[in-house]
Amino acid sequence: MEQRKVLIVDDEPDIREILELLLTSDGYKVFLSADGENAIRLLKENPLMDLIILDVMMPHEDGITVLRKIRGFSKIPALFLTAKTQESDKAEAYASGGDDFLEKPFSQNELLMKVNSLIRRYRDYSGGNSESVVTDVITIDENLKRAYKSGALLNLTDTEFDMLKFFLKNRGKPVDTKTLYEAVWDEKYVASAQNTIMVHILNLRKKIEDDHTNPVFLKTIWGKGYQFD
């Protein structure tokens, strides 16, 4: 099996060392960067990287700014590390193209669980035979991991794509938040995941709806969850 590659971007040497130790001991090949500029260079030199772990608070350019630049050329899954725990901070991180969020301090098991989950989803959806899910307006290509609206490419993150794919395959049926979270994030549902789902739903609506405040595709079904029509 090809060794999985992870890029760690953090300005603190101790954090980089700890993450490198944890991930290499779990079989990953690790690349290290102390700043965003070097991280972007490393990603362009190694386009088959499987995951980037980004500290939010860094000098010069913060992790959110760096990821916005990376999203211009790569859909690599991104896991943010941060001590900032406000919901507005998380919303900004997700809006920049982040796929998941891990608060400092974190446990070894929690880190590895999230890393393994993000990479497994990325690899599973990137390989295999091409398969499309088509509606009158929205089309997704599972092999290329691309989504289109009326033929125009949608700029979705991996998590947004996985959500859209799940909704399309359950089209016309209400999906509760627990089912959605465990299917897309591949983790056991906890109450705090509700906010994560709400942020991603909002971001997805902004990309697929003509008016995200009055959705016609991805609707909220009160008391039941969400439904794609």
Side-chain angles (χ1 to χ4, degrees), residues 173-193:
K173 297 183 292 185
V175 177
D176 62 83
T177 53
K178 179 178 184 294
T179 300
L180 176 64
Y181 187 81
E182 293 185 350
V184 174
W185 276 264
D186 196 23
E187 297 176 12
K188 183 175 177 59
Y189 179 81
V190 293
S192 60

Side-chain angles (χ1 to χ4, degrees), residues 61-108:
E61 286 188 320
D62 61 34
I64 290 172
T65 301
V66 173
L67 185 59
R68 286 195 175 106
K69 291 182 177 181
I70 289 171
R71 284 290 174 255
F73 65 89
S74 174
K75 290 185 175 292
I76 182 174
L79 173 64
F80 277 117
L81 297 180
T82 186
K84 300 172 72 175
T85 59
Q86 296 297 317
E87 290 303 322
S88 59
D89 298 323
K90 295 181 180 181
E92 186 179 14
Y94 286 129
S96 70
D99 294 285
D100 210 340
F101 200 101
L102 188 58
E103 296 175 11
K104 297 178 181 177
F106 52 84
S107 70
Q108 174 180 344

Side-chain angles (χ1 to χ4, degrees), residues 20-34:
E20 181 180 23
L21 178 62
L22 291 176
L23 292 172
T24 53
S25 65
D26 204 48
Y28 292 94
K29 181 176 182 179
V30 174
F31 297 76
L32 301 173
S33 176

Side-chain angles (χ1 to χ4, degrees), residues 58-228:
M58 295 189 295
H60 307 302
E61 286 188 320
D62 61 34
I64 290 172
T65 301
V66 173
L67 185 59
R68 286 195 175 106
K69 291 182 177 181
I70 289 171
R71 284 290 174 255
F73 65 89
S74 174
K75 290 185 175 292
I76 182 174
L79 173 64
F80 277 117
L81 297 180
T82 186
K84 300 172 72 175
T85 59
Q86 296 297 317
E87 290 303 322
S88 59
D89 298 323
K90 295 181 180 181
E92 186 179 14
Y94 286 129
S96 70
D99 294 285
D100 210 340
F101 200 101
L102 188 58
E103 296 175 11
K104 297 178 181 177
F106 52 84
S107 70
Q108 174 180 344
N109 287 339
E110 187 178 15
L111 170 73
L112 293 177
M113 177 182 68
K114 287 185 177 293
V115 167
N116 290 331
S117 176
L118 284 169
I119 291 179
R120 180 168 60 250
R121 284 167 44 203
Y122 184 61
R123 288 197 163 200
D124 286 349
Y125 289 132
S126 295
N129 295 323
S130 180
E131 182 179 352
S132 295
V133 179
V134 181
T135 72
D136 293 339
V137 180
I138 305 291
T139 302
I140 66 171
D141 186 313
E142 294 185 34
N143 186 37
L144 296 177
K145 203 164 188 180
R146 292 179 178 173
Y148 304 85
K149 179 181 178 182
S150 301
L153 180 65
L154 295 168
N155 185 25
L156 304 182
T157 67
D158 284 331
T159 299
E160 291 163 358
F161 178 88
D162 294 345
M163 288 176 66
L164 180 59
K165 173 184 172 182
F166 185 78
F167 279 124
L168 286 175
K169 290 195 171 182
N170 292 275
R171 188 181 182 191
K173 297 183 292 185
V175 177
D176 62 83
T177 53
K178 179 178 184 294
T179 300
L180 176 64
Y181 187 81
E182 293 185 350
V184 174
W185 276 264
D186 196 23
E187 297 176 12
K188 183 175 177 59
Y189 179 81
V190 293
S192 60
Q194 174 71 26
N195 290 331
T196 297
I197 292 172
M198 289 176 62
V199 171
H200 279 83
I201 289 288
L202 175 60
N203 290 337
L204 181 58
R205 280 176 171 159
K206 287 179 178 178
K207 296 179 180 181
I208 66 173
E209 302 283 358
D210 292 333
D211 177 4
H212 72 273
T213 64
N214 186 30
V216 296
F217 298 117
L218 184 50
K219 299 177 181 178
T220 299
I221 308 298
W222 299 111
K224 295 184 179 182
Y226 303 96
Q227 179 172 311
F228 196 97

